Amino acid sequence: MNKIDREFKRITKQILSKGRMDKNPRPKYQDGTPAYTFSINHVTMSFDLSNGEFPILTLRPIPFKSSIGEILWIYQDASNDLNLLQDKYNISWWNNWALPDNTIGACYGETVRRHNLMHDLLDGIKADPDGRRHVINLWQVDDFKDPHALKPCCYQTVWNVRHEDDGDYLDMCMFQRSCDWLVAASAANQVQYATFLCMVAHHFGYKPGKYTWYAANVQIYNRHINQAN
C-alpha cells in the first residue's frame, strides 16, 4: 500500500468508529429520503510529492483523467458550462445539478473567471515568489446571490515557494469545508489538487513539494456504510 492507501484506511476506520450521525441533513436521496451521514471534524493529510507520495489510491478504481479534466475546467477554462465539460472532458457527473442554461451558475469556474483568480495567483507568484499571500478562495459570498448549483467544497488553496539546497519547491495547502469521503474526497479531490500543484509548479519551473489537505468535516453516507466496511 502507498501512503494514501494507509490514510484512507485510517480515516475510514475513524469515521466508522467515532463518526456521529447528523440530525437534520440538507441533501436527500433520489427517492426523497433524507441522506444521513456519519462524520468527524478536523481531518488532515499531507503528502510530499517530491518524495513520490502522490495521493492516488490503489485500493479502488480512480477516475484519474476525469478528475484532472474537472480541475482544468474550473481553473484553466474558468467555466461553468456543462456542455464544455461533457464535450471536452467527457464528464457528466455535474448534470444532476444543471441549471436551466445547462451551467452550474455562479460557483467554481465562474467564480475563477469573475475574480480573475487564476491569473492573479500566477502574477502574484511571479512578482513575489516568497510572498505569503498567494491564495485562491472560491468562497465569494456575493457570487452566491446569483443562481448557483452548489457552494464549493474544495474552496481555498494557499501557495508557498520553499528554497532548499537542491532547488526551489512549490508547496500548497487545500482547504475543504465538507467532503464525501468515499465518493470524492479520498479519490478525485486528492488527485485533482495534487495535480493542480504539479501544473503550477511546472509553469514556474519549481519542483512540486508538499501538498497538505485540511477538511472541516468528513462524512460517509448511511447507505455507504457496508461499502466502507
Side-chain angles (χ1 to χ4, degrees):
M1 290 191 297
N2 62 25
K3 183 172 182 178
I4 194 172
D5 291 336
R6 296 190 295 272
E7 291 287 78
F8 173 78
K9 294 181 72 174
R10 175 182 68 85
I11 294 170
T12 301
K13 289 178 180 178
Q14 189 175 359
I15 297 171
L16 292 174
S17 64
K18 298 182 179 180
R20 294 295 178 260
M21 190 170 75
D22 42 15
K23 295 182 178 180
N24 186 29
R26 175 192 56 80
K28 291 180 171 56
Y29 294 114
Q30 289 186 341
D31 61 11
T33 60
Y36 290 99
T37 65
F38 292 87
S39 67
I40 57 176
N41 295 334
H42 300 182
V43 181
T44 186
M45 298 187 293
S46 190
F47 304 91
D48 186 352
L49 303 188
S50 68
N51 197 34
E53 294 179 351
F54 191 88
I56 182 167
L57 279 172
T58 66
L59 300 175
R60 51 163 288 192
I62 301 298
F64 188 85
K65 290 183 179 180
S66 297
S67 299
I68 296 172
E70 185 185 52
I71 211 75
L72 292 171
W73 178 64
I74 294 171
Y75 290 102
Q76 187 178 73
D77 301 323
S79 176
N80 63 0
D81 185 351
L82 295 178
N83 291 318
L84 175 65
L85 185 63
Q86 175 75 55
D87 295 342
K88 189 173 182 178
Y89 302 109
N90 196 31
I91 296 172
S92 59
W93 57 51
W94 274 101
N95 290 356
N96 289 338
W97 289 274
L99 300 182
D101 61 355
N102 207 38
T103 75
I104 58 169
C107 56
Y108 287 104
E110 173 63 13
T111 297
V112 173
R113 184 195 65 79
R114 286 187 183 189
H115 301 281
N116 207 31
L117 297 179
M118 195 67 232
H119 289 99
D120 284 352
L121 174 76
L122 298 178
D123 290 345
I125 295 175
K126 180 180 179 180
D128 182 18
D130 294 331
R132 300 181 178 91
R133 301 177 180 180
H134 306 311
V135 179
I136 288 181
N137 194 325
L138 301 181
W139 197 267
Q140 302 291 334
V141 176
D142 286 343
D143 289 1
F144 301 152
K145 296 175 183 177
D146 295 332
H148 58 282
L150 284 176
K151 290 179 173 60
C153 294
C154 304
Y155 73 93
Q156 181 170 285
T157 54
V158 181
W159 308 73
N160 297 94
V161 175
R162 171 169 49 92
H163 307 293
E164 300 287 355
D165 292 340
D166 62 345
D168 297 329
Y169 291 81
L170 184 64
D171 300 330
M172 184 259 276
C173 299
M174 188 266 276
F175 296 86
Q176 192 162 356
R177 63 171 180 85
S178 173
C179 49
D180 182 347
W181 178 242
L182 294 186
V183 174
S186 64
N189 293 153
Q190 306 308 326
V191 165
Q192 288 174 325
Y193 281 86
T195 302
F196 190 19
L197 169 56
C198 290
M199 289 189 288
V200 176
H202 179 75
H203 176 80
F204 289 106
Y206 296 137
K207 299 178 181 181
K210 296 177 182 178
Y211 162 65
T212 302
W213 171 76
Y214 298 97
N217 181 269
V218 183
Q219 70 271 166
I220 295 176
Y221 282 89
N222 60 335
R223 293 186 178 181
H224 298 164
I225 293 298
N226 288 338
Q227 291 172 296
N229 280 311

